[in-house]
Amino acid sequence: KQTNAKLDQLTVVLLAMITFAATILEDLSFVMSFGGATLGNALIYILPAIMFKSVVKNMGDGASAALKKETYFATFSMLLGIFMGAVGTVQSLK
């Protein structure tokens, strides 16, 4: 259950982690490239595919055959995004 106390604790933990990372990291290009590789691909390829598959699944028998077939493309798009995110992550770690 979401309470103000839990939100305050989460805020303090996140701020502490960000402050700690800011004191250690001297070059922000690593953070930017790593974040772009992981979060960018998730936002463009992975999350929309997951949402689409969830909507079609929740439609049940109301989903047309074409929509059900399109979930295969969404799965392919998601796997492609995971692959490209992995490649980008490896490149950012070099």
Side-chain angles (χ1 to χ4, degrees), residues 3-73:
T3 63
N4 286 337
K6 285 184 183 180
L7 287 175
D8 291 343
Q9 290 172 350
L10 178 63
T11 302
V12 169
V13 168
L14 287 174
L15 283 173
M17 288 174 31
I18 291 169
T19 304
F20 178 72
T23 58
I24 291 177
L25 295 174
E26 295 176 3
D27 186 16
L28 237 66
S29 64
F30 166 73
V31 174
M32 298 298 289
S33 64
F34 187 79
T38 54
L39 301 176
N41 276 301
L43 184 64
I44 294 170
Y45 296 104
I46 299 168
L47 296 177
I50 291 171
M51 288 186 282
F52 177 75
K53 288 177 67 170
S54 175
V55 166
V56 172
K57 181 180 178 183
N58 288 339
M59 289 175 72
D61 292 335
S64 68
L67 277 177
K68 291 179 181 177
K69 288 181 182 177
E70 196 172 342
T71 59
Y72 295 116
F73 177 75

